Amino acid sequence: ARYLGSPARPGSSTGMAEAAAAPGGAAEGPSSRKRKAWDGPPPAAGDLGHAQFWWYRDPYGVDQGPHATTTMRNWFEAGYIPAVTPLAASYYGEVPSEMWLAAELWESPETEAFVLAEGAAAAPQLEAAAPDYIEAAEFESEKEGYVFKFDVYGLGYYKDEEASRPIEVTIDAIEAEKQEKLERNARARMQAFPKWDTISG
């Protein structure tokens, strides 16, 4: 899942809480592990206190993320992340290759899960993408990057696709432009000289 995307909270529309509570509803793999005496998180999990992002596996076996650590903490405190949820830290938004249960990552998940270490940087806030359509009953004023028109969503401001379309520059286009300039200059030189019949007359 992409970062600019916003997958449903675990346990909300995906039904994670209900599926996790049901027999067999938990994701496969880490959910079957029994907790042993605490001896620290798995080395492969990394430095959890400095993880800016996290991934989790939903009840359907789909990996969701990356989500900011602060977001995961809020979901965890709200009860949207059951104990059987496979988790993995992500330090740059990368997709993890292995996941673990909260009980395998923290000795006391209730107080330690998804808590950044002192001085650790939080995930950067990304700007929300501009909407494709802004509803408006009448033209109000010019909006940069938008055109006012009636289209599929009704009357309003639509993204100006022509303005936002990147300009493609290719070798062929450059060569064609050069050739056009040469021909234009040649025509201009020809027009600068008097015609033969004018001279002979």
Side-chain angles (χ1 to χ4, degrees), residues 137-167:
E138 59 183 14
F139 180 82
E140 300 167 355
S141 62
E142 290 188 2
K143 296 183 184 295
E144 185 177 356
Y146 288 86
V147 292
F148 183 79
K149 62 181 179 178
F150 182 87
D151 212 320
V152 292
Y153 297 120
L155 190 63
Y157 292 88
Y158 290 79
K159 268 191 176 179
D160 188 352
E161 296 181 358
E162 292 297 327
S164 60
R165 184 176 300 165
I167 300 175

PDB file of all heavy atoms in Angstrom, residues 137-167:
ATOM      1  N   ALA A 137     -21.370  26.531  -6.902  1.00  0.00           N
ATOM      2  CA  ALA A 137     -22.609  26.803  -7.624  1.00  0.00           C
ATOM      3  C   ALA A 137     -22.406  27.864  -8.696  1.00  0.00           C
ATOM      4  O   ALA A 137     -23.160  27.934  -9.668  1.00  0.00           O
ATOM      5  CB  ALA A 137     -23.698  27.242  -6.658  1.00  0.00           C
ATOM      6  N   GLU A 138     -21.381  28.704  -8.533  1.00  0.00           N
ATOM      7  CA  GLU A 138     -21.091  29.746  -9.510  1.00  0.00           C
ATOM      8  C   GLU A 138     -19.609  30.083  -9.466  1.00  0.00           C
ATOM      9  O   GLU A 138     -18.904  29.724  -8.514  1.00  0.00           O
ATOM     10  CB  GLU A 138     -21.910  31.005  -9.222  1.00  0.00           C
ATOM     11  CG  GLU A 138     -21.657  31.586  -7.850  1.00  0.00           C
ATOM     12  CD  GLU A 138     -22.532  32.785  -7.560  1.00  0.00           C
ATOM     13  OE1 GLU A 138     -23.502  33.006  -8.300  1.00  0.00           O
ATOM     14  OE2 GLU A 138     -22.239  33.493  -6.588  1.00  0.00           O
ATOM     15  N   PHE A 139     -19.157  30.755 -10.516  1.00  0.00           N
ATOM     16  CA  PHE A 139     -17.749  31.132 -10.578  1.00  0.00           C
ATOM     17  C   PHE A 139     -17.458  32.166  -9.502  1.00  0.00           C
ATOM     18  O   PHE A 139     -18.123  33.205  -9.404  1.00  0.00           O
ATOM     19  CB  PHE A 139     -17.421  31.691 -11.963  1.00  0.00           C
ATOM     20  CG  PHE A 139     -15.987  32.106 -12.121  1.00  0.00           C
ATOM     21  CD1 PHE A 139     -15.015  31.164 -12.403  1.00  0.00           C
ATOM     22  CD2 PHE A 139     -15.614  33.436 -11.964  1.00  0.00           C
ATOM     23  CE1 PHE A 139     -13.686  31.532 -12.546  1.00  0.00           C
ATOM     24  CE2 PHE A 139     -14.282  33.811 -12.108  1.00  0.00           C
ATOM     25  CZ  PHE A 139     -13.318  32.866 -12.398  1.00  0.00           C
ATOM     26  N   GLU A 140     -16.478  31.896  -8.666  1.00  0.00           N
ATOM     27  CA  GLU A 140     -16.137  32.802  -7.577  1.00  0.00           C
ATOM     28  C   GLU A 140     -14.901  33.631  -7.919  1.00  0.00           C
ATOM     29  O   GLU A 140     -14.917  34.861  -7.823  1.00  0.00           O
ATOM     30  CB  GLU A 140     -15.897  32.001  -6.296  1.00  0.00           C
ATOM     31  CG  GLU A 140     -17.119  31.201  -5.864  1.00  0.00           C
ATOM     32  CD  GLU A 140     -16.814  30.171  -4.794  1.00  0.00           C
ATOM     33  OE1 GLU A 140     -15.611  30.020  -4.446  1.00  0.00           O
ATOM     34  OE2 GLU A 140     -17.744  29.506  -4.317  1.00  0.00           O
ATOM     35  N   SER A 141     -13.844  32.945  -8.287  1.00  0.00           N
ATOM     36  CA  SER A 141     -12.603  33.598  -8.675  1.00  0.00           C
ATOM     37  C   SER A 141     -11.709  32.551  -9.320  1.00  0.00           C
ATOM     38  O   SER A 141     -11.999  31.353  -9.253  1.00  0.00           O
ATOM     39  CB  SER A 141     -11.901  34.216  -7.451  1.00  0.00           C
ATOM     40  OG  SER A 141     -11.545  33.193  -6.522  1.00  0.00           O
ATOM     41  N   GLU A 142     -10.640  32.998  -9.945  1.00  0.00           N
ATOM     42  CA  GLU A 142      -9.719  32.055 -10.545  1.00  0.00           C
ATOM     43  C   GLU A 142      -8.983  31.275  -9.464  1.00  0.00           C
ATOM     44  O   GLU A 142      -8.581  31.830  -8.443  1.00  0.00           O
ATOM     45  CB  GLU A 142      -8.705  32.795 -11.427  1.00  0.00           C
ATOM     46  CG  GLU A 142      -9.308  33.371 -12.692  1.00  0.00           C
ATOM     47  CD  GLU A 142      -8.250  33.932 -13.623  1.00  0.00           C
ATOM     48  OE1 GLU A 142      -7.047  33.820 -13.277  1.00  0.00           O
ATOM     49  OE2 GLU A 142      -8.599  34.469 -14.681  1.00  0.00           O
ATOM     50  N   LYS A 143      -8.832  29.980  -9.676  1.00  0.00           N
ATOM     51  CA  LYS A 143      -8.082  29.124  -8.767  1.00  0.00           C
ATOM     52  C   LYS A 143      -6.935  28.515  -9.554  1.00  0.00           C
ATOM     53  O   LYS A 143      -7.164  27.874 -10.579  1.00  0.00           O
ATOM     54  CB  LYS A 143      -8.965  28.035  -8.161  1.00  0.00           C
ATOM     55  CG  LYS A 143     -10.097  28.572  -7.279  1.00  0.00           C
ATOM     56  CD  LYS A 143     -10.891  27.438  -6.665  1.00  0.00           C
ATOM     57  CE  LYS A 143     -12.073  27.953  -5.861  1.00  0.00           C
ATOM     58  NZ  LYS A 143     -11.633  28.725  -4.680  1.00  0.00           N
ATOM     59  N   GLU A 144      -5.726  28.718  -9.069  1.00  0.00           N
ATOM     60  CA  GLU A 144      -4.559  28.232  -9.782  1.00  0.00           C
ATOM     61  C   GLU A 144      -4.610  26.716  -9.948  1.00  0.00           C
ATOM     62  O   GLU A 144      -4.828  25.978  -8.984  1.00  0.00           O
ATOM     63  CB  GLU A 144      -3.281  28.622  -9.026  1.00  0.00           C
ATOM     64  CG  GLU A 144      -2.012  28.261  -9.767  1.00  0.00           C
ATOM     65  CD  GLU A 144      -0.762  28.721  -9.032  1.00  0.00           C
ATOM     66  OE1 GLU A 144      -0.896  29.384  -7.978  1.00  0.00           O
ATOM     67  OE2 GLU A 144       0.336  28.408  -9.499  1.00  0.00           O
ATOM     68  N   GLY A 145      -4.440  26.275 -11.190  1.00  0.00           N
ATOM     69  CA  GLY A 145      -4.447  24.846 -11.477  1.00  0.00           C
ATOM     70  C   GLY A 145      -5.824  24.269 -11.719  1.00  0.00           C
ATOM     71  O   GLY A 145      -5.962  23.061 -11.896  1.00  0.00           O
ATOM     72  N   TYR A 146      -6.866  25.123 -11.721  1.00  0.00           N
ATOM     73  CA  TYR A 146      -8.238  24.647 -11.902  1.00  0.00           C
ATOM     74  C   TYR A 146      -8.939  25.437 -13.014  1.00  0.00           C
ATOM     75  O   TYR A 146      -8.579  26.581 -13.306  1.00  0.00           O
ATOM     76  CB  TYR A 146      -9.038  24.794 -10.609  1.00  0.00           C
ATOM     77  CG  TYR A 146      -8.665  23.814  -9.530  1.00  0.00           C
ATOM     78  CD1 TYR A 146      -7.614  24.091  -8.663  1.00  0.00           C
ATOM     79  CD2 TYR A 146      -9.336  22.603  -9.374  1.00  0.00           C
ATOM     80  CE1 TYR A 146      -7.251  23.194  -7.667  1.00  0.00           C
ATOM     81  CE2 TYR A 146      -8.991  21.708  -8.385  1.00  0.00           C
ATOM     82  CZ  TYR A 146      -7.947  22.006  -7.533  1.00  0.00           C
ATOM     83  OH  TYR A 146      -7.585  21.113  -6.546  1.00  0.00           O
ATOM     84  N   VAL A 147      -9.935  24.793 -13.601  1.00  0.00           N
ATOM     85  CA  VAL A 147     -10.819  25.464 -14.559  1.00  0.00           C
ATOM     86  C   VAL A 147     -12.247  25.293 -14.060  1.00  0.00           C
ATOM     87  O   VAL A 147     -12.607  24.249 -13.495  1.00  0.00           O
ATOM     88  CB  VAL A 147     -10.675  24.874 -15.974  1.00  0.00           C
ATOM     89  CG1 VAL A 147      -9.310  25.202 -16.541  1.00  0.00           C
ATOM     90  CG2 VAL A 147     -10.894  23.366 -15.978  1.00  0.00           C
ATOM     91  N   PHE A 148     -13.055  26.328 -14.242  1.00  0.00           N
ATOM     92  CA  PHE A 148     -14.451  26.282 -13.807  1.00  0.00           C
ATOM     93  C   PHE A 148     -15.308  25.788 -14.970  1.00  0.00           C
ATOM     94  O   PHE A 148     -15.278  26.349 -16.064  1.00  0.00           O
ATOM     95  CB  PHE A 148     -14.909  27.671 -13.363  1.00  0.00           C
ATOM     96  CG  PHE A 148     -16.320  27.698 -12.841  1.00  0.00           C
ATOM     97  CD1 PHE A 148     -16.606  27.267 -11.558  1.00  0.00           C
ATOM     98  CD2 PHE A 148     -17.358  28.144 -13.644  1.00  0.00           C
ATOM     99  CE1 PHE A 148     -17.901  27.285 -11.073  1.00  0.00           C
ATOM    100  CE2 PHE A 148     -18.664  28.163 -13.164  1.00  0.00           C
ATOM    101  CZ  PHE A 148     -18.927  27.734 -11.876  1.00  0.00           C
ATOM    102  N   LYS A 149     -16.044  24.715 -14.741  1.00  0.00           N
ATOM    103  CA  LYS A 149     -16.857  24.157 -15.811  1.00  0.00           C
ATOM    104  C   LYS A 149     -17.883  23.180 -15.242  1.00  0.00           C
ATOM    105  O   LYS A 149     -17.867  22.842 -14.057  1.00  0.00           O
ATOM    106  CB  LYS A 149     -15.982  23.427 -16.828  1.00  0.00           C
ATOM    107  CG  LYS A 149     -15.228  22.228 -16.257  1.00  0.00           C
ATOM    108  CD  LYS A 149     -14.363  21.559 -17.319  1.00  0.00           C
ATOM    109  CE  LYS A 149     -13.582  20.371 -16.748  1.00  0.00           C
ATOM    110  NZ  LYS A 149     -12.777  19.690 -17.788  1.00  0.00           N
ATOM    111  N   PHE A 150     -18.782  22.730 -16.120  1.00  0.00           N
ATOM    112  CA  PHE A 150     -19.736  21.684 -15.760  1.00  0.00           C
ATOM    113  C   PHE A 150     -19.234  20.383 -16.369  1.00  0.00           C
ATOM    114  O   PHE A 150     -19.023  20.288 -17.570  1.00  0.00           O
ATOM    115  CB  PHE A 150     -21.134  22.004 -16.299  1.00  0.00           C
ATOM    116  CG  PHE A 150     -22.167  20.988 -15.907  1.00  0.00           C
ATOM    117  CD1 PHE A 150     -22.847  21.100 -14.708  1.00  0.00           C
ATOM    118  CD2 PHE A 150     -22.452  19.907 -16.728  1.00  0.00           C
ATOM    119  CE1 PHE A 150     -23.794  20.151 -14.329  1.00  0.00           C
ATOM    120  CE2 PHE A 150     -23.386  18.957 -16.365  1.00  0.00           C
ATOM    121  CZ  PHE A 150     -24.061  19.080 -15.152  1.00  0.00           C
ATOM    122  N   ASP A 151     -19.024  19.383 -15.510  1.00  0.00           N
ATOM    123  CA  ASP A 151     -18.492  18.109 -16.003  1.00  0.00           C
ATOM    124  C   ASP A 151     -19.121  16.964 -15.220  1.00  0.00           C
ATOM    125  O   ASP A 151     -20.213  17.128 -14.659  1.00  0.00           O
ATOM    126  CB  ASP A 151     -16.965  18.089 -15.896  1.00  0.00           C
ATOM    127  CG  ASP A 151     -16.309  17.266 -17.007  1.00  0.00           C
ATOM    128  OD1 ASP A 151     -16.860  16.201 -17.340  1.00  0.00           O
ATOM    129  OD2 ASP A 151     -15.272  17.682 -17.532  1.00  0.00           O
ATOM    130  N   VAL A 152     -18.433  15.839 -15.122  1.00  0.00           N
ATOM    131  CA  VAL A 152     -19.021  14.612 -14.568  1.00  0.00           C
ATOM    132  C   VAL A 152     -19.515  14.764 -13.125  1.00  0.00           C
ATOM    133  O   VAL A 152     -20.475  14.108 -12.720  1.00  0.00           O
ATOM    134  CB  VAL A 152     -18.009  13.450 -14.648  1.00  0.00           C
ATOM    135  CG1 VAL A 152     -17.760  13.051 -16.087  1.00  0.00           C
ATOM    136  CG2 VAL A 152     -16.703  13.825 -13.968  1.00  0.00           C
ATOM    137  N   TYR A 153     -18.877  15.612 -12.334  1.00  0.00           N
ATOM    138  CA  TYR A 153     -19.294  15.787 -10.942  1.00  0.00           C
ATOM    139  C   TYR A 153     -20.288  16.927 -10.766  1.00  0.00           C
ATOM    140  O   TYR A 153     -20.743  17.183  -9.662  1.00  0.00           O
ATOM    141  CB  TYR A 153     -18.069  16.051 -10.047  1.00  0.00           C
ATOM    142  CG  TYR A 153     -17.088  14.919 -10.011  1.00  0.00           C
ATOM    143  CD1 TYR A 153     -15.772  15.093 -10.433  1.00  0.00           C
ATOM    144  CD2 TYR A 153     -17.465  13.654  -9.559  1.00  0.00           C
ATOM    145  CE1 TYR A 153     -14.866  14.046 -10.406  1.00  0.00           C
ATOM    146  CE2 TYR A 153     -16.567  12.597  -9.537  1.00  0.00           C
ATOM    147  CZ  TYR A 153     -15.263  12.809  -9.960  1.00  0.00           C
ATOM    148  OH  TYR A 153     -14.367  11.772  -9.935  1.00  0.00           O
ATOM    149  N   GLY A 154     -20.582  17.633 -11.851  1.00  0.00           N
ATOM    150  CA  GLY A 154     -21.465  18.783 -11.753  1.00  0.00           C
ATOM    151  C   GLY A 154     -20.696  20.079 -11.964  1.00  0.00           C
ATOM    152  O   GLY A 154     -19.569  20.079 -12.476  1.00  0.00           O
ATOM    153  N   LEU A 155     -21.283  21.187 -11.555  1.00  0.00           N
ATOM    154  CA  LEU A 155     -20.666  22.486 -11.742  1.00  0.00           C
ATOM    155  C   LEU A 155     -19.617  22.742 -10.663  1.00  0.00           C
ATOM    156  O   LEU A 155     -19.863  22.484  -9.478  1.00  0.00           O
ATOM    157  CB  LEU A 155     -21.743  23.576 -11.688  1.00  0.00           C
ATOM    158  CG  LEU A 155     -21.311  24.987 -12.096  1.00  0.00           C
ATOM    159  CD1 LEU A 155     -20.873  25.015 -13.552  1.00  0.00           C
ATOM    160  CD2 LEU A 155     -22.455  25.977 -11.868  1.00  0.00           C
ATOM    161  N   GLY A 156     -18.482  23.257 -11.074  1.00  0.00           N
ATOM    162  CA  GLY A 156     -17.449  23.539 -10.088  1.00  0.00           C
ATOM    163  C   GLY A 156     -16.086  23.676 -10.732  1.00  0.00           C
ATOM    164  O   GLY A 156     -15.955  23.855 -11.953  1.00  0.00           O
ATOM    165  N   TYR A 157     -15.066  23.601  -9.905  1.00  0.00           N
ATOM    166  CA  TYR A 157     -13.688  23.741 -10.360  1.00  0.00           C
ATOM    167  C   TYR A 157     -13.065  22.355 -10.525  1.00  0.00           C
ATOM    168  O   TYR A 157     -13.100  21.534  -9.609  1.00  0.00           O
ATOM    169  CB  TYR A 157     -12.870  24.549  -9.343  1.00  0.00           C
ATOM    170  CG  TYR A 157     -13.287  26.005  -9.252  1.00  0.00           C
ATOM    171  CD1 TYR A 157     -14.297  26.396  -8.385  1.00  0.00           C
ATOM    172  CD2 TYR A 157     -12.670  26.973 -10.026  1.00  0.00           C
ATOM    173  CE1 TYR A 157     -14.686  27.729  -8.295  1.00  0.00           C
ATOM    174  CE2 TYR A 157     -13.034  28.307  -9.938  1.00  0.00           C
ATOM    175  CZ  TYR A 157     -14.051  28.679  -9.067  1.00  0.00           C
ATOM    176  OH  TYR A 157     -14.423  29.992  -8.982  1.00  0.00           O
ATOM    177  N   TYR A 158     -12.503  22.120 -11.699  1.00  0.00           N
ATOM    178  CA  TYR A 158     -11.845  20.858 -12.000  1.00  0.00           C
ATOM    179  C   TYR A 158     -10.355  21.115 -12.224  1.00  0.00           C
ATOM    180  O   TYR A 158      -9.969  22.180 -12.715  1.00  0.00           O
ATOM    181  CB  TYR A 158     -12.430  20.224 -13.265  1.00  0.00           C
ATOM    182  CG  TYR A 158     -13.835  19.710 -13.089  1.00  0.00           C
ATOM    183  CD1 TYR A 158     -14.922  20.584 -13.109  1.00  0.00           C
ATOM    184  CD2 TYR A 158     -14.085  18.356 -12.908  1.00  0.00           C
ATOM    185  CE1 TYR A 158     -16.216  20.120 -12.947  1.00  0.00           C
ATOM    186  CE2 TYR A 158     -15.382  17.874 -12.752  1.00  0.00           C
ATOM    187  CZ  TYR A 158     -16.443  18.769 -12.771  1.00  0.00           C
ATOM    188  OH  TYR A 158     -17.728  18.296 -12.609  1.00  0.00           O
ATOM    189  N   LYS A 159      -9.550  20.135 -11.874  1.00  0.00           N
ATOM    190  CA  LYS A 159      -8.118  20.252 -12.119  1.00  0.00           C
ATOM    191  C   LYS A 159      -7.867  20.467 -13.603  1.00  0.00           C
ATOM    192  O   LYS A 159      -8.450  19.787 -14.446  1.00  0.00           O
ATOM    193  CB  LYS A 159      -7.381  18.992 -11.657  1.00  0.00           C
ATOM    194  CG  LYS A 159      -6.875  19.054 -10.235  1.00  0.00           C
ATOM    195  CD  LYS A 159      -5.951  17.897  -9.951  1.00  0.00           C
ATOM    196  CE  LYS A 159      -5.358  17.996  -8.550  1.00  0.00           C
ATOM    197  NZ  LYS A 159      -4.472  16.856  -8.255  1.00  0.00           N
ATOM    198  N   ASP A 160      -7.002  21.427 -13.893  1.00  0.00           N
ATOM    199  CA  ASP A 160      -6.642  21.712 -15.278  1.00  0.00           C
ATOM    200  C   ASP A 160      -5.630  20.669 -15.727  1.00  0.00           C
ATOM    201  O   ASP A 160      -4.445  20.755 -15.423  1.00  0.00           O
ATOM    202  CB  ASP A 160      -6.059  23.121 -15.382  1.00  0.00           C
ATOM    203  CG  ASP A 160      -5.844  23.550 -16.827  1.00  0.00           C
ATOM    204  OD1 ASP A 160      -6.001  22.695 -17.727  1.00  0.00           O
ATOM    205  OD2 ASP A 160      -5.527  24.725 -17.049  1.00  0.00           O
ATOM    206  N   GLU A 161      -6.108  19.649 -16.429  1.00  0.00           N
ATOM    207  CA  GLU A 161      -5.235  18.544 -16.821  1.00  0.00           C
ATOM    208  C   GLU A 161      -4.139  18.995 -17.779  1.00  0.00           C
ATOM    209  O   GLU A 161      -3.024  18.488 -17.736  1.00  0.00           O
ATOM    210  CB  GLU A 161      -6.066  17.428 -17.463  1.00  0.00           C
ATOM    211  CG  GLU A 161      -7.064  16.799 -16.500  1.00  0.00           C
ATOM    212  CD  GLU A 161      -7.858  15.694 -17.151  1.00  0.00           C
ATOM    213  OE1 GLU A 161      -7.650  15.465 -18.361  1.00  0.00           O
ATOM    214  OE2 GLU A 161      -8.675  15.071 -16.464  1.00  0.00           O
ATOM    215  N   GLU A 162      -4.464  19.950 -18.636  1.00  0.00           N
ATOM    216  CA  GLU A 162      -3.453  20.424 -19.583  1.00  0.00           C
ATOM    217  C   GLU A 162      -2.312  21.114 -18.854  1.00  0.00           C
ATOM    218  O   GLU A 162      -1.145  20.938 -19.173  1.00  0.00           O
ATOM    219  CB  GLU A 162      -4.091  21.385 -20.599  1.00  0.00           C
ATOM    220  CG  GLU A 162      -5.059  20.721 -21.553  1.00  0.00           C
ATOM    221  CD  GLU A 162      -4.372  19.695 -22.433  1.00  0.00           C
ATOM    222  OE1 GLU A 162      -3.190  19.897 -22.773  1.00  0.00           O
ATOM    223  OE2 GLU A 162      -5.013  18.687 -22.797  1.00  0.00           O
ATOM    224  N   ALA A 163      -2.670  21.912 -17.828  1.00  0.00           N
ATOM    225  CA  ALA A 163      -1.644  22.655 -17.097  1.00  0.00           C
ATOM    226  C   ALA A 163      -0.784  21.736 -16.246  1.00  0.00           C
ATOM    227  O   ALA A 163       0.395  21.996 -16.032  1.00  0.00           O
ATOM    228  CB  ALA A 163      -2.308  23.712 -16.213  1.00  0.00           C
ATOM    229  N   SER A 164      -1.396  20.650 -15.728  1.00  0.00           N
ATOM    230  CA  SER A 164      -0.652  19.750 -14.842  1.00  0.00           C
ATOM    231  C   SER A 164       0.093  18.658 -15.586  1.00  0.00           C
ATOM    232  O   SER A 164       0.878  17.931 -14.996  1.00  0.00           O
ATOM    233  CB  SER A 164      -1.614  19.098 -13.836  1.00  0.00           C
ATOM    234  OG  SER A 164      -2.612  18.351 -14.517  1.00  0.00           O
ATOM    235  N   ARG A 165      -0.156  18.544 -16.894  1.00  0.00           N
ATOM    236  CA  ARG A 165       0.497  17.494 -17.678  1.00  0.00           C
ATOM    237  C   ARG A 165       1.960  17.860 -17.903  1.00  0.00           C
ATOM    238  O   ARG A 165       2.280  18.959 -18.360  1.00  0.00           O
ATOM    239  CB  ARG A 165      -0.211  17.324 -19.025  1.00  0.00           C
ATOM    240  CG  ARG A 165       0.337  16.199 -19.885  1.00  0.00           C
ATOM    241  CD  ARG A 165      -0.503  16.066 -21.129  1.00  0.00           C
ATOM    242  NE  ARG A 165      -1.885  15.758 -20.796  1.00  0.00           N
ATOM    243  CZ  ARG A 165      -2.895  15.870 -21.656  1.00  0.00           C
ATOM    244  NH1 ARG A 165      -2.679  16.291 -22.880  1.00  0.00           N
ATOM    245  NH2 ARG A 165      -4.120  15.562 -21.273  1.00  0.00           N
ATOM    246  N   PRO A 166       2.886  16.973 -17.572  1.00  0.00           N
ATOM    247  CA  PRO A 166       4.309  17.282 -17.755  1.00  0.00           C
ATOM    248  C   PRO A 166       4.672  17.425 -19.225  1.00  0.00           C
ATOM    249  O   PRO A 166       4.110  16.751 -20.091  1.00  0.00           O
ATOM    250  CB  PRO A 166       5.018  16.078 -17.118  1.00  0.00           C
ATOM    251  CG  PRO A 166       4.014  14.971 -17.184  1.00  0.00           C
ATOM    252  CD  PRO A 166       2.672  15.623 -17.024  1.00  0.00           C
ATOM    253  N   ILE A 167       5.591  18.321 -19.506  1.00  0.00           N
ATOM    254  CA  ILE A 167       6.049  18.534 -20.870  1.00  0.00           C
ATOM    255  C   ILE A 167       7.099  17.475 -21.210  1.00  0.00           C
ATOM    256  O   ILE A 167       8.099  17.340 -20.504  1.00  0.00           O
ATOM    257  CB  ILE A 167       6.650  19.941 -21.036  1.00  0.00           C
ATOM    258  CG1 ILE A 167       5.586  20.999 -20.719  1.00  0.00           C
ATOM    259  CG2 ILE A 167       7.204  20.134 -22.438  1.00  0.00           C
ATOM    260  CD1 ILE A 167       6.115  22.413 -20.737  1.00  0.00           C
TER     261      ILE A 167
END
